[in-house]
Amino acid sequence: MLYIGIDVGGSSIKGGLVNEDGTLLYKTSKPIADKKDADSLVQLMVELCNNILDYTETDISDIIWIGCGIPGPCDKKQGIIISTTNLGFENFNLSEALKEHFDTQIFIGNDASCAALGECTSGATKNTSSSVILTLGTGIGAGIILNNLIYSGFNDIAGELGHTVIKVGGKQCNCGKRGCFETYASASALVEMTQELAKDGNAKILELCNNNIDDIDGRTIFEAVRQGDAGAKTTLDEYIEYLGTGVVNIINTFQPEMLVIGGGLSNEGDDLLNPLREYVMKNEFCSKVCRTKIVRAKLGNDAGIIGAAMLGMR
Amino acid sequence: MLYIGIDVGGSSIKGGLVNEDGTLLYKTSKPIADKKDADSLVQLMVELCNNILDYTETDISDIIWIGCGIPGPCDKKQGIIISTTNLGFENFNLSEALKEHFDTQIFIGNDASCAALGECTSGATKNTSSSVILTLGTGIGAGIILNNLIYSGFNDIAGELGHTVIKVGGKQCNCGKRGCFETYASASALVEMTQELAKDGNAKILELCNNNIDDIDGRTIFEAVRQGDAGAKTTLDEYIEYLGTGVVNIINTFQPEMLVIGGGLSNEGDDLLNPLREYVMKNEFCSKVCRTKIVRAKLGNDAGIIGAAMLGMR
């Protein structure tokens, strides 16, 4: 059984051929150029699908369905993209548009939910029935799996965990509110904290970025801590408190079997996860029962493609 | 079909006979005296059940099951109370203990979840499949219904929404953490804010409590606002921001069909709910889809009894 999964991002569209086990058999991508209107984007998706079919010598009649992960709220039942922040989709019926080109079923869903479904199909959360994945990037993407299904609420837009407030009256968020989880705990937030440390004259950070604070990335502070810098440790501890606060909130809310950390920062492995686990253990509401396991995402960027391909399955 | 529901509280045990529609046919209660050890409490529950059977002239063979709502984490499958804060239950198998007295099935569950299930069976959320109920009291109790079922996570202790943090480093909470939702938005928190206002010399509040700040309760500030006091309005707005922050977090997380406000404060009706709805409308993540309805609980204290009686149903 073969499926096509498409992951629509801000700067590129990725897609692949996936089998029923959630194995990615072939993948490819197309950069999104200047034209970001709905018709141009659909054209790009059609080309991507045709490339996949051509390269893998597969006929569209062998594709059970095409699933699409979208960076914005969707009406899953009707196949409509309600809105996107940086792309030209606004109340757009993607399902109908793609059906004009391909004679197969079309499913759409939120991209972060697709990543959670991908990990749950063939990644970190395989064999668990409930999990939450947090992708730490520019913001914080979140996908929720309950009873082996994507949880998206009665109106398909649940799971905006990056925009739950952890500090009333705190830092301004792009969403208009103040104090959102992602303004404190995204990878971008950590980079900003590291840059502040450099501006305050931390010698180790300045050495690691060759005195160019624009070269600081999510890894910089971890490297400084590994090299024994005390100031960097203090800043990383502060970041862990923010990340841990949001993670404890999620665990106290959902008590999922697993909480998965994805995004570039997760490459730091236990240097990120161990202090996070320690913070969570100290701050969870109840310690007398089986606890949520905190693990690293396994599939990287493939999770979104695989999960999109699995959208019709659950 | 007849069921017995028991709602175990900190100071009394309430119980009643309930039919399959969730109608409470008879209710009674027993105060919890000094003896709060598990055996004394079980004895009290047995007496309560016998009183219900005697008064309603019902034989135990006509009772399909007995359900118990417990103020603490439970292992539902095994019928074990894991712990309680003010009562003597600690790793106690309540199911076995009650079966020694009654030849019927026993179900146990969290008391806040029972309240949510009660409202969902015959109260405010009847005919909805997803809802969250917040009971504003000394703390904030929370019950979550998803797909018509109590949601309690993989370890039965999910839904501790009162202990999600809305202000990192904020006010000390009884749970050991700082900045929990309930330290800012419980009825007790509102009373404290009103008392502060009185201490600062607000004439209207002092008039309403006859200069005795211990007489201030949850209604005082609403009465002051109704009488046009500007200082009281500012304080109530601040409280609404805290309550609204937690409510927006819950909506952005779950997008339930309904969010229900219960507890004594909910008696203020639209004087509480309208400013809350206004805050939520301004701060929800997405305004372009169908929104969660914010409503008042209907069943009051009966919700816990009715929900407990329904525990075996779902």
Side-chain angles (χ1 to χ4, degrees):
Chain A
M1 308 264 257
L2 296 173
Y3 311 86
I4 287 178
I6 301 177
D7 183 17
V8 180
S11 58
S12 74
I13 300 181
K14 301 180 190 73
L17 187 69
V18 178
N19 72 8
E20 69 275 12
D21 302 325
T23 305
L24 186 54
L25 305 171
Y26 170 71
K27 68 174 170 176
T28 181
S29 71
K30 287 195 170 284
I32 294 174
D34 294 339
K35 284 191 175 177
K36 296 185 177 186
D37 61 287
D39 289 340
S40 304
L41 292 168
V42 168
Q43 195 49 44
L44 219 51
M45 293 167 82
V46 170
E47 285 167 23
L48 187 87
C49 288
N50 282 328
N51 288 166
I52 293 169
L53 295 171
D54 290 348
Y55 189 90
T56 60
E57 297 180 350
T58 309
D59 192 82
I60 185 69
S61 64
D62 292 325
I63 299 294
I64 315 286
W65 62 65
I66 299 173
C68 307
I70 305 297
C74 299
D75 178 334
K76 293 195 290 190
K77 280 185 206 78
Q78 303 204 61
I80 291 170
I81 303 175
I82 295 166
S83 68
T84 46
T85 311
N86 299 313
L87 301 172
F89 291 122
E90 179 92 19
N91 273 319
F92 182 82
N93 196 316
L94 181 65
S95 178
E96 273 182 14
L98 288 177
K99 274 183 182 165
E100 284 180 21
H101 299 270
F102 302 106
D103 183 18
T104 187
Q105 278 186 285
I106 310 290
F107 292 95
I108 74 170
N110 174 272
D111 57 352
S113 296
C114 287
L117 189 55
E119 290 288 348
C120 166
T121 305
S122 52
T125 52
K126 200 178 167 180
N127 302 322
T128 66
S129 69
S130 62
S131 55
V132 175
I133 178 167
L134 297 178
T135 306
L136 311 177
T138 315
I140 294 184
I144 300 166
I145 303 288
L146 302 180
N147 292 319
N148 290 307
L149 298 171
I150 289 175
Y151 179 78
S152 58
F154 89 112
N155 54 10
D156 282 346
I157 64 161
E160 284 295 344
L161 304 181
H163 295 286
T164 55
V165 168
I166 64 164
K167 193 163 187 176
V168 172
K171 280 202 276 184
Q172 184 66 48
C173 180
N174 291 334
C175 78
K177 291 209 305 280
R178 286 186 170 276
C180 289
F181 182 33
E182 71 171 40
T183 64
Y184 289 94
S186 62
S188 303
L190 179 60
V191 169
E192 268 175 42
M193 290 168 77
T194 313
Q195 287 174 332
E196 287 304 315
L197 201 58
K199 285 179 194 161
D200 289 348
N202 180 293
K204 178 54 71 185
I205 301 287
L206 287 167
E207 178 199 324
L208 290 169
C209 71
N210 295 314
N211 288 305
N212 183 357
I213 69 163
D214 291 335
D215 278 0
I216 289 172
D217 63 17
R219 285 166 296 192
T220 312
I221 192 119
F222 288 96
E223 189 50 38
V225 171
R226 280 190 285 266
Q227 294 187 24
D229 187 80
K233 176 76 166 58
T234 304
T235 295
L236 185 59
D237 286 348
E238 195 191 339
Y239 172 77
I240 292 291
E241 185 184 356
Y242 294 135
L243 177 60
T245 296
V247 167
V248 168
N249 281 354
I250 293 166
I251 292 177
N252 283 347
T253 300
F254 286 107
Q255 295 287 347
E257 283 176 72
M258 279 195 189
L259 187 135
V260 184
I261 303 289
L265 281 193
S266 68
N267 294 329
E268 301 302 323
D270 285 344
D271 288 349
L272 171 70
L273 294 188
N274 280 342
L276 176 63
R277 289 177 183 126
E278 201 179 319
Y279 182 91
V280 170
M281 196 171 291
K282 277 190 197 143
N283 289 281
E284 272 179 321
F285 188 68
C286 181
S287 59
K288 293 173 186 168
V289 296
C290 206
R291 287 154 177 272
T292 300
K293 273 189 194 135
I294 299 175
V295 301
R296 181 178 160 183
K298 259 191 188 167
L299 303 176
N301 290 329
D302 293 350
I305 302 173
I306 296 170
M310 295 292 111
L311 274 174
M313 207 76 92
R314 333 210 189 190
Chain B
M1 308 266 257
L2 297 172
Y3 312 84
I4 287 178
I6 301 178
D7 183 17
V8 180
S11 57
S12 73
I13 299 181
K14 303 181 189 73
L17 188 69
V18 178
N19 72 9
E20 70 277 11
D21 302 326
T23 305
L24 186 55
L25 305 170
Y26 170 71
K27 68 174 170 177
T28 181
S29 71
K30 287 194 170 287
I32 294 173
D34 295 340
K35 285 190 175 178
K36 296 185 176 185
D37 60 288
D39 289 341
S40 304
L41 292 168
V42 168
Q43 194 48 45
L44 219 53
M45 292 166 83
V46 170
E47 286 168 22
L48 186 88
C49 287
N50 283 327
N51 289 165
I52 293 169
L53 295 171
D54 290 350
Y55 189 91
T56 60
E57 296 180 350
T58 308
D59 192 82
I60 184 66
S61 63
D62 292 326
I63 299 295
I64 315 285
W65 62 65
I66 299 173
C68 307
I70 306 296
C74 299
D75 177 335
K76 294 193 289 191
K77 279 184 206 81
Q78 302 204 62
I80 292 171
I81 303 174
I82 295 165
S83 68
T84 47
T85 310
N86 299 312
L87 301 172
F89 290 121
E90 178 92 19
N91 273 319
F92 182 81
N93 195 317
L94 181 65
S95 179
E96 273 182 14
L98 288 177
K99 273 184 183 165
E100 284 180 19
H101 299 270
F102 302 107
D103 183 19
T104 187
Q105 278 186 284
I106 310 291
F107 291 94
I108 74 171
N110 174 271
D111 57 351
S113 296
C114 287
L117 189 55
E119 290 289 347
C120 167
T121 306
S122 52
T125 53
K126 201 178 164 180
N127 303 323
T128 67
S129 68
S130 63
S131 55
V132 175
I133 178 167
L134 297 178
T135 307
L136 310 177
T138 315
I140 295 183
I144 301 166
I145 304 287
L146 302 181
N147 292 320
N148 290 306
L149 297 171
I150 289 175
Y151 180 78
S152 59
F154 88 113
N155 54 10
D156 281 347
I157 64 162
E160 285 294 345
L161 305 181
H163 295 286
T164 54
V165 169
I166 64 163
K167 194 164 187 174
V168 172
K171 279 203 275 185
Q172 183 67 48
C173 179
N174 291 333
C175 79
K177 290 209 306 281
R178 287 186 169 276
C180 288
F181 181 32
E182 72 172 41
T183 64
Y184 288 94
S186 62
S188 303
L190 179 60
V191 170
E192 267 175 43
M193 289 169 76
T194 312
Q195 287 174 333
E196 287 303 315
L197 201 57
K199 286 178 194 163
D200 289 348
N202 180 293
K204 178 54 72 184
I205 301 287
L206 286 166
E207 178 199 324
L208 289 170
C209 71
N210 296 314
N211 288 306
N212 182 358
I213 69 162
D214 291 335
D215 278 359
I216 289 171
D217 64 18
R219 285 165 298 194
T220 313
I221 192 121
F222 288 96
E223 190 50 39
V225 171
R226 281 190 284 265
Q227 294 186 24
D229 187 80
K233 176 75 166 57
T234 304
T235 295
L236 186 58
D237 286 348
E238 194 190 341
Y239 172 77
I240 293 291
E241 186 185 356
Y242 293 136
L243 177 61
T245 296
V247 167
V248 168
N249 281 355
I250 293 165
I251 292 176
N252 283 347
T253 300
F254 286 107
Q255 295 289 346
E257 283 177 72
M258 280 195 188
L259 187 135
V260 184
I261 302 290
L265 280 193
S266 68
N267 294 329
E268 300 301 324
D270 284 345
D271 288 350
L272 171 69
L273 295 188
N274 280 343
L276 177 63
R277 289 177 184 126
E278 202 178 319
Y279 181 90
V280 170
M281 197 171 293
K282 276 189 198 143
N283 289 281
E284 272 178 321
F285 188 69
C286 181
S287 59
K288 293 173 187 168
V289 295
C290 206
R291 289 153 175 272
T292 300
K293 273 189 194 137
I294 298 176
V295 301
R296 181 177 160 183
K298 258 191 188 167
L299 302 176
N301 291 330
D302 293 350
I305 302 173
I306 296 169
M310 295 293 112
L311 274 175
M313 207 77 90
R314 334 210 189 190

